[in-house]
Amino acid sequence: MWYGLRSGVRLSPPESQPWRDPATYWAELQAATAELDPPFGVISLPALAHNAHDMLRRAAGKPIRVASKSVRVRSVIEGVLELPGYAGVLAYTLPEALWLAETIDDIVVGYPTADREAIRALATNERNAARVTIMVDSLDQVDAVDAAINPAHRESLRVCLELDSSYLSPLLGRLGVYRSPMRTVEDAVALARAVIDRPGFTLVGIMSYEAQIAGLGNRPPGKPLLARVIDGMQARSFAELLERRAAVVAAVRNLAELEFVNGGGTGSIERTASDDSVTEIAAGSGLFGPHLFDTYSHFTPAPAAAFALSVVRKPSPEVATILGGGWVASGPPGIDRMPQLVWPDGLDFVPREMAGEVQSPVTGAAAARLNVGDRVWLRHTKAGELSEHLNAFAIVEQGSIIETVPTYRGEGKAFL
């Protein structure tokens, strides 16, 4: 059976893996896009399909909810959802969820909302209220919904509780991200009871995101001792979460009939799948395979999404300057947030300029061979953030562009 994007583009498992030979892979993308003028983005269909199927393999039968903020291309999200094993979307914001709900019937908003207009649009539309689940981790967020629209004048809203999944290390302190204040069984039971007792809400799920496992590569380049520390921390963190999450889920299930328990992320699919208390896994970045995920030992995503920029200057024979390039990822400032120069091989950013707002000089042996009008290929550190810089992606298969698909930005949507 074939599975595809909105226009019928197939997401069947690829017969070969050309990305394992960079010279072949990037040359094919270069040839396929020869008529395009940079900047432009490309998605290799075989690489995307490989990543989608490999994530299913890692999930070992548990359904994967697509994290839309890591894609931000509606047709790709819908195409992946056609694959058996993918079910539902984890959206970033409520306005985005309402837009996606036009065609997708199961959307969980991954973050709490204080957007009053969006809350009212959700609460006064029967279809939206049935398709979209909002996230809360405190009564303040429940109060914000009630303040936006009185329960007597709205549909009952589906609610998911978020459990804090950070690890409190005796030596290193808090490891993870600052998300939910709901951490213990007592916290969860108190909030669950409050939501259940509040008119206009229906408790349907629990979510927990173990960022210190899912979002932290355990093989940092050239740092074997740090790798051992990360391995140990992640093992201890997951063991602690396994016990605590199971206890929280069991306690809340005594109060409400939960439809789902969501956990994990691209970097922790295998571990999260092994947790019997979890019914589904959230993942999205692994579909595009940004270079942030090159530092994991247990999986290697194909570089499915990339972008090309033009050489516009030769300030010296050894230096080529590309136009733009400052597509730096969010997070702690560092070299790992920079876009990765991938083709031609042997290019480096100039240390004092790096990836600049308007230009990015590059050096190295390959720079001397670059001329004005040539292209340089790069990978973004993160998946969905690349889509924010582009109106569309060219979909490439077998050396040709077979479709061009708009990003959220290309559809005129500037969500957070």
Side-chain angles (χ1 to χ4, degrees):
M1 183 176 290
W2 301 107
Y3 308 102
L5 304 185
R6 195 158 26 181
S7 62
V9 174
R10 298 186 298 272
L11 276 177
S12 54
E15 296 179 358
S16 63
Q17 298 181 8
W19 52 89
R20 295 188 179 278
D21 178 5
T24 299
Y25 184 65
W26 297 108
E28 180 179 289
L29 294 182
Q30 180 95 295
T33 58
E35 298 304 314
L36 299 184
D37 288 319
F40 59 82
V42 167
I43 295 173
S44 164
L45 187 66
L48 174 64
H50 166 82
N51 289 341
H53 286 277
D54 192 56
M55 287 165 63
L56 291 175
R57 175 192 61 79
R58 296 171 59 209
K62 284 200 174 170
I64 297 176
R65 184 179 291 273
V66 179
S68 63
K69 67 93 182 168
S70 299
V71 180
R72 306 189 203 201
V73 182
R74 185 170 189 147
S75 59
V76 171
I77 294 168
E78 293 179 345
V80 170
L81 287 175
E82 291 184 21
L83 285 171
Y86 286 90
V89 168
L90 182 69
Y92 181 22
T93 66
L94 182 54
E96 177 204 8
L98 295 174
W99 180 62
L100 292 175
E102 294 171 4
T103 56
I104 298 171
D105 63 6
D106 179 9
I107 305 168
V108 176
V109 183
Y111 296 81
T113 185
D115 188 321
R116 293 169 294 181
E117 181 179 352
I119 290 170
R120 287 191 282 266
L122 170 68
T124 56
N125 183 292
E126 183 179 2
R127 184 202 64 185
N128 288 346
R131 292 185 169 192
V132 176
T133 301
I134 61 172
M135 188 69 60
V136 304
D137 57 45
S138 75
L139 279 178
D140 291 341
Q141 295 143 3
V142 178
D143 291 340
V145 173
D146 281 345
I149 182 167
N150 189 291
H153 302 135
R154 70 171 192 243
E155 302 288 331
S156 181
L157 300 185
R158 296 165 53 85
V159 172
C160 177
L161 307 182
E162 181 168 4
L163 173 68
D164 174 34
S165 297
S166 60
Y167 177 52
L168 305 183
S169 168
L171 294 177
L172 302 175
R174 182 189 179 100
L175 299 172
V177 290
Y178 285 91
R179 292 172 67 106
S180 169
M182 189 186 85
R183 182 171 181 84
T184 66
V185 170
E186 292 75 19
D187 293 339
V189 167
L191 183 56
R193 283 178 173 158
V195 170
I196 292 167
D197 291 342
R198 188 76 71 98
F201 296 96
T202 303
L203 179 58
V204 297
I206 293 176
M207 172 184 146
S208 58
Y209 171 54
E210 48 266 38
Q212 69 279 9
I213 304 172
L216 178 62
N218 63 334
R219 289 297 178 269
K223 299 179 180 179
L225 293 180
L226 178 58
R228 292 177 61 185
V229 171
I230 293 173
D231 280 341
M233 177 277 292
Q234 291 181 338
R236 288 187 289 272
S237 173
F238 187 71
E240 184 275 335
L241 179 60
L242 193 68
E243 181 177 345
R244 181 162 56 88
R245 181 159 54 193
V248 166
V249 170
V252 175
R253 283 195 183 279
N254 286 331
L255 302 174
E257 188 173 343
L258 299 179
E259 296 177 15
F260 64 89
V261 176
N262 181 283
T266 289
S268 68
I269 290 176
E270 297 91 341
R271 274 192 164 121
T272 308
S274 71
D275 185 343
D276 291 337
S277 70
V278 172
T279 65
E280 63 176 40
I281 301 164
S285 295
L287 294 169
F288 281 1
H291 75 79
L292 180 69
F293 289 91
D294 291 348
T295 60
Y296 288 74
S297 64
H298 49 287
F299 73 105
T300 305
F307 63 102
L309 300 175
S310 290
V311 174
V312 295
R313 283 177 168 160
K314 290 286 293 187
S316 76
E318 298 80 22
V319 177
T321 302
I322 57 179
L323 187 65
W327 299 1
V328 180
S330 58
I335 297 299
D336 64 343
R337 303 290 138 169
M338 303 287 292
Q340 182 186 69
L341 295 159
V342 291
W343 198 258
D345 188 28
L347 293 176
D348 294 295
F349 289 114
V350 173
R352 290 187 179 179
E353 292 194 49
M354 301 303 283
E357 177 188 6
V358 294
Q359 68 171 36
S360 301
V362 294
T363 61
R369 299 190 296 272
L370 288 172
N371 298 305
V372 171
D374 289 342
R375 287 101 163 268
V376 172
W377 288 83
L378 306 94
R379 293 167 66 200
H380 205 281
T381 303
K382 293 191 173 182
E385 291 184 18
L386 174 57
S387 300
E388 290 298 303
H389 294 278
L390 299 165
N391 288 329
F393 280 100
I395 307 294
V396 171
E397 183 181 30
Q398 296 181 345
S400 299
I401 297 174
I402 59 171
E403 185 179 15
T404 299
V405 296
T407 61
Y408 283 8
R409 167 175 153 163
E411 293 199 61
K413 300 298 180 182
F415 302 118
L416 183 63

